[in-house]
Amino acid sequence: MSTSINWQSDDEQVQKNQRRTYDDMRARCPIAHDDKLGYSVFSHADVMHILNNPATFSNHVSDRRIAVPNGMDAPVHTAFRAINDKYFTADRMARFRPIAKELIDSLVSQLPKGQPVDIMAEFAKTYAVKLQNAFMDWGDETEAPLNAWIEKNRKATLSQNQDEIASVALEFDGYIKAILDDKRTKRPDDVTFELMNDVVMLPQGKRVMSDEELVSLIRNWTVGELSTMSSAVGIIFEFFIHHPDVLTHLKANPQDIDNAVLEILRLHDPLITNRRRTTCPVTLHGIDIPKDAKITINWQSANRDPEAFHQADSFELHRSQANNLVYGHGIHVCPGKPLAQLELGLLVECLVEQVSKIRPVSDDYFDHAIYPASGFSRLEVILH
Ligand code: HEM
């Protein structure tokens, strides 16, 4: 049996261009080890193997705090997923569509035209927070504290200081608990109050969720997703700088927008990794991995694997998206996919309607985001 190659996932060279590094790693050593991420898995086939064997590759990666539903395994995961999925049905999406469209229309129309704008600082985060607020039926007053908290969380995550991360997380918990208490008094007809009264069908019996579980689920819907959604926004804008022809095509063919979003995000995945833990010794790609090992699925690399996608590095609007892993696969596949595709599709629809061209402000128009974030931390463009 071979051993995996060691690498340094937080090396400056990796951060300079994560996509290129992961492409390189996949070609050279599809499984690589470092202390921070454990065994990083880069190939599409190995990632699929992991996703199809959730009993061997557990999502229960930490005892530090519960994570509903992402840190759970079946059968408890199944019970919480059943609740989760009720909030992303086609019916709900159809009802949310006009609200989201109006919001996105207004945000895109406020973007300055003919002058420089940093899409990450001045649009992407606001877009993600406002939409999530609208989806949760939270009022405008929650926007400012949520924004401030996201910034603190970003800094704590980058610092890797566990005490700071824990204290920021506690602050978020307190903040959501205050929202829950408020809903308990006012009993509004909204998503949060509905969640609070929903019943989980656990193997040991049915019950409503505890506050700890509610906070965790809401954390998964908001915190986890705000950064992914804002990365996706930057990635989409940047794509159109280099593919004005696709913007023109979508003007005449709006039915292709959904596929275009999937393909853009396949090429540049807004979510880089998720974790697993081995529940027994395994051999993956000829490499022996012990029980309780940390496994890191690298979505960005798997989605660009030439073994899974013909001409993996090129944009093909009409390619089959059956192998696309942007939203994962298997029992933990993203329940928020319908919402994310709706919101990002509407963004493209509004760009198609309101913008004829996106150009970079100069040769130095972007900074790559640093892991665990994807996409860009700065993206300066001029819209016409
Ligand atoms: C472009 C945006 C998004 C991307 C790329 C994305 C991607 C993913 C991926 C790859 C997974 C699988 C994780 C794993 O297997 O460990 C996942 C899980 C999840 N996503 Fe998303 N997501 C997005 C947006 C959203 C949104 C908007 C929501 C909810 C509001 C959401 C909620 C969740 C939840 C709750 C899980 C955990 C599911 C489980 O463990 O059963 N996501 N997402």
Side-chain angles (χ1 to χ4, degrees):
M1 294 296 163
S2 40
T3 51
S4 60
I5 291 182
N6 287 318
W7 72 314
Q8 214 49 53
S9 61
D10 53 2
D11 188 274
E12 206 181 312
Q13 289 308 316
V14 176
Q15 299 300 343
K16 264 194 188 149
N17 190 339
Q18 294 189 68
R19 259 190 320 164
R20 194 179 307 142
T21 307
Y22 303 145
D23 282 350
D24 221 49
M25 293 297 291
R26 188 185 56 246
R28 279 197 306 126
C29 54
I31 297 185
H33 186 271
D34 78 330
D35 288 342
K36 196 170 161 202
L37 302 185
Y39 293 86
S40 287
V41 181
F42 295 103
S43 84
H44 191 278
D46 290 334
V47 166
M48 284 300 282
H49 177 76
I50 292 170
L51 301 174
N52 286 327
N53 290 282
T56 307
F57 298 93
S58 162
N59 266 54
H60 186 87
V61 294
S62 163
D63 284 327
R64 209 175 294 140
R65 59 210 329 250
I66 59 162
V68 182
N70 196 240
M72 296 173 152
D73 292 329
V76 175
H77 171 261
T78 322
F80 281 94
R81 255 315 276 253
I83 287 206
N84 202 318
D85 292 3
K86 283 166 54 181
Y87 293 84
F88 302 95
T89 57
D91 251 19
R92 292 225 183 215
M93 295 304 110
R95 268 183 276 144
F96 186 57
R97 189 185 169 88
I99 300 167
K101 170 78 179 172
E102 194 184 335
L103 197 53
I104 298 169
D105 236 335
S106 140
L107 289 173
V108 173
S109 70
Q110 286 166 43
L111 276 169
K113 310 286 165 357
Q115 63 190 71
V117 55
D118 178 351
I119 294 299
M120 300 318 295
E122 293 172 53
F123 180 80
K125 283 178 202 136
T126 314
Y127 161 96
V129 171
K130 277 191 184 289
L131 281 160
Q132 199 55 21
N133 249 10
F135 176 70
M136 293 300 292
D137 291 323
W138 292 347
D140 289 348
E141 66 280 2
T142 55
E143 255 177 66
L146 201 53
N147 268 321
W149 185 87
I150 289 165
E151 189 49 25
K152 273 192 211 167
N153 189 45
R154 191 187 63 80
K155 286 192 180 140
T157 311
L158 276 182
S159 79
Q160 295 291 318
N161 178 327
Q162 291 308 319
D163 290 342
E164 200 179 325
I165 292 173
S167 118
V168 174
L170 257 182
E171 186 182 324
F172 182 78
D173 291 5
Y175 176 60
I176 300 297
K177 274 190 188 136
I179 294 183
L180 297 182
D181 288 342
D182 185 54
K183 304 279 177 194
R184 237 170 233 128
T185 322
K186 295 187 181 145
R187 307 179 63 79
D189 175 20
D190 70 7
V191 168
T192 316
F193 192 63
E194 204 178 330
L195 259 182
M196 292 163 72
N197 290 288
D198 237 328
V199 172
V200 211
M201 311 291 269
L202 290 162
Q204 59 272 33
K206 51 185 189 177
R207 60 167 175 79
V208 293
M209 283 186 268
S210 67
D211 270 12
E212 195 192 3
E213 289 160 350
L214 280 164
V215 167
S216 174
L217 179 63
I218 291 172
R219 191 191 308 118
N220 209 332
W221 283 7
T222 53
V223 180
E225 302 322 325
L226 290 172
S227 62
T228 317
M229 287 300 289
S230 59
S231 293
V233 168
I235 288 166
I236 288 172
F237 270 86
E238 211 265 345
F239 173 85
F240 286 126
I241 293 177
H242 305 290
H243 296 85
D245 52 316
V246 179
L247 198 59
T248 312
H249 171 88
L250 295 176
K251 258 189 220 299
N253 301 279
Q255 74 283 1
D256 286 342
I257 288 178
D258 201 52
N259 242 36
V261 170
L262 284 173
E263 179 68 351
I264 294 168
L265 302 185
R266 180 191 69 75
L267 284 167
H268 195 159
D269 203 314
L271 178 67
I272 307 230
T273 61
N274 274 106
R275 279 180 56 191
R276 298 291 189 270
R277 179 182 53 82
T278 50
T279 57
C280 56
V282 291
T283 304
L284 201 56
H285 219 101
I287 288 162
D288 292 331
I289 300 178
K291 179 176 186 278
D292 279 333
K294 198 193 285 183
I295 303 280
T296 297
I297 293 170
N298 192 304
W299 302 111
Q300 193 163 79
S301 168
N303 260 326
R304 298 170 50 81
D305 187 342
E307 296 286 325
F309 302 96
H310 176 65
Q311 298 195 326
D313 198 23
S314 61
F315 176 84
E316 283 181 27
L317 181 57
H318 297 295
R319 79 159 79 233
S320 157
Q321 295 295 338
N323 285 339
N324 188 320
L325 288 176
V326 165
Y327 295 101
H329 168 84
I331 63 168
H332 292 278
V333 69
C334 179
K337 176 181 175 184
L339 181 63
Q341 282 293 113
L342 171 72
E343 293 177 356
L344 296 171
L346 287 172
L347 170 66
V348 174
E349 200 175 294
C350 291
L351 288 178
V352 160
E353 286 161 7
Q354 297 186 36
V355 173
S356 57
K357 193 176 171 196
I358 305 176
R359 65 181 172 90
V361 74
S362 68
D363 286 347
D364 171 29
Y365 69 99
F366 70 86
D367 289 318
H368 285 295
I370 302 234
Y371 181 85
S374 175
F376 306 94
S377 57
R378 174 180 67 94
L379 184 69
E380 291 186 87
V381 302
I382 299 178
L383 306 176
H384 295 278

